[in-house]
Amino acid sequence: MLKNKYILLFCYVFAFIVSGCASKVEFEPLEKQYKLTPATDTPLANYIESQQKPHLTGIKALPDGIDAFIARLAMIEGARESVDLQYYIYRNDETGKILTMFLYNAAERGVRVRVLLDDMTTANKDDGLMAIANHPNISIRLFNPSYERTYRGLAFITDFGRMNHRMHNKSLTIDNLITVVGGRNIGDEYFSANKNVEFGDLDVLAIGTAVEEVSTQFDTYWNSEQVNSIQQLAGNNQLNVDLEELKAEVAEFEATLSEDEYVKRLEASTLLERLKNQSLAWYWGEAQVVYDPPNKLEKNANSKILLDDLSYFFEQTEQKLLIVSPYFVPGDDATNGFINAVKEGKKVTIVTNSLAATDVLAVHAGYQQYRQKLVEGGVKIYEVRGDPSEKKSSWKGSSKTSLHAKTFVIDDTTVFVGSFNFDPRSALINTEMGLIIDNQQFAKDMVNGIAETADSKAYELAMKDGDLVWLDNLNNKVIYAEPGAGFWRKFMADFLALLPIESQL
């Protein structure tokens, strides 16, 4: 019996491979849907109207995980017309379930909820997505999906050129009035709810003119040829949960939260109180929403990509450039560009993960090939410390503390915050988005905040007697080997550095 099962599986795999699975499956065109007119005469609309400055964007930074989650929940709770949610990862963990409950409750109030997810991390979730999408006010679409929903690993191999292209964009927009954009996905590790992993990340809450542009970005993806609805993909064989059953499940989950430790931490957030009494302080300035087209891999000479906007952004640097990127693989051209900028008298500072802190070992393998040349060329590099008390996997690179924020600051005047990592994958393969904000005080506060914590949270790299060393300025020590990283992590990083995989990092 077992032998027959393997024979059937082999036949299926063989048929799957030779059947031309790399060709696009044809579906009926989806209905075009667009942003709604901004809501008026609602508590959220009235608050934003009282804060509004014509032709400008108001920004509030969300560096704290608890505050970042509270902001999302408060926004959804205040929705009266629409919720547009777009993420690369949406986990079915505690924060994911709580956010889903808030989305469902918004739909129950009559709010139109559109959920756009990258399909890479939705494996084995079709039943749950279909159950939620049964609600008449909830629509779910997936970016660049696998047409083979069961053996998705095989589909990725046989259709690698297409499926290697992922949507890394991250945004949540409410009533076309307020949005949050940045580096966080939806998952416990992004919102201080995971006891094993804590990502240091950054989002910005935005009101004003940029919100309309974020909504336009969302519509561009929602109506693109690169997306399919969950109904198209899952088909008729997937679970079809009755709405009353789903409503009962939501109520049951909500009842468990009254004594939940994480929920109590949310309730203690100072941001929650400031949201209630409308005392948030906003940075106001001109802002530009920048993003890749959904069909980024199609070589269209007339199509501008995010990298073009960021290249122009970097070229405006006159004195100082700060790059914060968890995954930093600059390549030869950018490395030489940074060194030349230093020769011209500009100060270039890079903050990234150490080997002990990184959660993607292969990316560190790519980065370590450039760091000594950068340091020798006068570029300042700081590597975020890992948690020495947390045992790390040599292969996966998981860490108790890990940098995940993506932000760039030029001349203490202009800031980029978004999903873009400084690596080949963000530049040329995945789609990305972000905000470029002109506000000198915001830029200075960002730079000062990083500078104040640099010694306690990071090592400074330097050269000593021709070798790369790590300066522990907090304890006035010089470290001569990758701090906090064991033998196997160093071995694996060195081994991966030998492989020709940089273009995929």
Side-chain angles (χ1 to χ4, degrees):
M1 188 62 147
L2 187 61
K3 181 179 179 181
N4 290 338
K5 184 184 295 185
Y6 282 117
I7 291 174
L8 286 172
L9 178 60
F10 174 80
C11 292
Y12 177 88
V13 171
F14 181 78
F16 177 75
I17 293 173
V18 302
S19 64
C21 62
S23 60
K24 181 175 174 60
V25 177
E26 296 298 328
F27 295 101
E28 288 293 322
L30 291 169
E31 175 191 359
K32 300 289 185 183
Q33 295 177 340
Y34 297 95
K35 58 192 174 188
L36 302 178
T37 301
T40 59
D41 199 24
T42 68
L44 179 61
N46 292 336
Y47 165 69
I48 291 175
E49 177 65 25
S50 70
Q51 303 292 309
Q52 200 76 280
K53 295 190 177 182
H55 313 300
L56 297 177
T57 296
I59 295 294
K60 166 65 181 174
L62 297 171
D64 178 78
I66 292 288
D67 286 351
F69 195 59
I70 278 288
R72 286 165 169 81
L73 298 185
M75 289 165 62
I76 297 171
E77 186 69 16
R80 294 296 180 268
E81 300 290 340
S82 63
V83 174
D84 291 336
L85 178 148
Q86 175 184 22
Y87 284 99
Y88 172 62
I89 295 172
Y90 194 125
R91 301 202 191 284
N92 188 33
D93 52 16
E94 183 172 19
T95 55
K97 289 176 180 177
I98 292 173
L99 197 72
T100 299
M101 179 186 72
F102 272 67
L103 292 173
Y104 179 84
N105 289 339
E108 284 284 276
R109 299 195 303 269
V111 175
R112 184 188 75 174
V113 177
R114 296 190 292 177
V115 176
L116 176 58
L117 305 177
D118 184 84
D119 191 47
M120 178 62 76
T121 60
T122 65
N124 303 316
K125 296 179 181 177
D126 283 3
D127 287 356
L129 294 174
M130 279 286 287
I132 298 167
N134 279 335
H135 196 290
N137 291 331
I138 301 177
S139 300
I140 299 177
R141 295 183 181 182
L142 303 177
F143 181 86
N144 203 14
S146 171
Y147 306 131
E148 167 52 50
R149 306 305 289 174
T150 303
Y151 298 100
R152 295 176 63 161
L154 288 171
F156 189 88
I157 294 172
T158 58
D159 199 4
F160 180 79
R162 178 180 71 87
M163 292 189 62
N164 190 40
H165 171 51
R166 308 316 319 168
M167 181 190 75
H168 199 235
N169 310 35
K170 302 166 178 68
S171 70
L172 173 64
T173 306
I174 306 300
D175 289 351
N176 203 12
L177 286 171
I178 187 168
T179 190
V180 60
V181 172
R184 287 184 176 91
N185 293 293
I186 304 302
D188 288 354
E189 63 267 40
Y190 301 96
F191 300 112
S192 303
N194 188 314
K195 295 181 180 179
N196 298 315
V197 181
E198 171 75 14
F199 279 146
D201 221 321
L202 178 67
D203 298 313
V204 289
L205 195 62
I207 58 177
T209 58
V211 178
E212 187 83 11
E213 295 179 53
V214 174
S215 292
T216 297
Q217 179 271 158
F218 183 93
D219 285 349
T220 300
Y221 278 77
W222 185 259
N223 296 315
S224 70
E225 294 181 356
Q226 283 68 38
V227 305
N228 293 100
S229 69
I230 183 60
Q231 289 89 343
Q232 288 177 316
L233 296 163
N236 296 324
N237 296 325
Q238 297 294 333
L239 183 65
N240 187 11
V241 176
D242 182 84
L243 276 179
E244 291 303 315
E245 181 181 341
L246 182 60
K247 186 182 298 187
E249 290 181 5
V250 172
E252 183 179 348
F253 174 70
E254 190 168 7
T256 67
L257 297 178
S258 60
E259 298 300 320
D260 186 272
E261 177 187 347
Y262 181 67
V263 171
K264 290 179 180 178
R265 291 168 61 200
L266 293 176
E267 291 172 345
S269 166
T270 59
L271 179 69
L272 183 61
E273 187 61 32
R274 282 178 286 159
L275 287 169
K276 288 178 179 178
N277 61 29
Q278 300 184 359
S279 61
L280 280 183
W282 299 90
Y283 297 96
W284 287 93
E286 294 185 354
Q288 178 187 4
V289 179
V290 291
Y291 56 93
D292 285 311
N295 60 345
K296 180 176 180 175
L297 290 190
E298 297 177 14
K299 307 301 182 183
N300 185 341
N302 297 320
S303 180
K304 186 174 70 170
I305 64 175
L306 177 59
L307 184 61
D308 299 324
D309 291 308
L310 287 180
S311 296
Y312 177 78
F313 172 82
F314 291 134
E315 288 168 2
Q316 306 310 302
T317 304
E318 295 182 355
Q319 297 175 329
K320 295 192 294 184
L321 171 62
L322 169 65
I323 293 176
V324 179
S325 180
Y327 316 120
F328 182 76
V329 187
D332 290 325
D333 289 344
T335 296
N336 293 331
F338 293 142
I339 293 172
N340 289 335
V342 172
K343 290 179 180 177
E344 294 169 2
K346 299 172 185 177
K347 182 180 179 181
V348 179
T349 303
I350 295 160
V351 181
T352 190
N353 277 313
S354 66
L355 178 58
T358 187
D359 68 315
V360 183
L361 197 57
V363 173
H364 193 276
Y367 150 69
Q368 70 182 27
Q369 302 178 68
Y370 298 99
R371 61 184 174 184
Q372 181 164 331
K373 183 178 179 180
L374 287 164
V375 174
E376 289 175 336
V379 176
K380 285 282 188 183
I381 298 182
Y382 292 87
E383 290 185 356
V384 172
R385 302 166 183 253
D387 188 334
S389 65
E390 180 70 16
K391 185 177 180 180
K392 300 160 184 82
S393 162
S394 297
W395 289 91
K396 293 177 66 178
S398 60
S399 172
K400 177 72 174 179
T401 56
S402 185
L403 175 70
H404 196 259
K406 310 101 168 38
T407 185
F408 317 134
V409 185
I410 60 172
D411 295 334
D412 291 351
T413 59
T414 307
V415 182
F416 168 87
V417 177
S419 65
F420 186 94
N421 295 304
F422 206 103
D423 59 23
R425 174 161 290 276
S426 281
L428 301 172
I429 301 175
N430 290 348
T431 68
E432 309 286 353
M433 70 172 294
L435 279 174
I436 296 176
I437 307 123
D438 288 320
N439 183 290
Q440 191 174 64
Q441 191 59 54
F442 178 51
K444 285 183 176 180
D445 288 348
M446 290 284 291
V447 172
N448 291 339
I450 293 171
E452 288 170 3
T453 60
D455 287 345
S456 62
K457 292 188 176 181
Y459 302 103
E460 179 183 354
L461 272 62
M463 297 300 301
K464 186 172 183 180
D465 299 328
D467 293 323
L468 191 69
V469 297
W470 288 257
L471 304 180
D472 181 353
N473 295 323
L474 183 66
N475 299 301
N476 197 27
K477 293 181 179 180
V478 178
I479 303 172
Y480 292 87
E482 300 269 7
F487 169 80
W488 284 110
R489 283 177 68 77
K490 297 174 187 176
F491 174 82
M492 286 305 305
D494 291 339
F495 172 75
L496 291 170
L498 299 175
L499 302 180
I501 58 175
E502 182 172 315
S503 65
Q504 300 300 313
L505 299 177

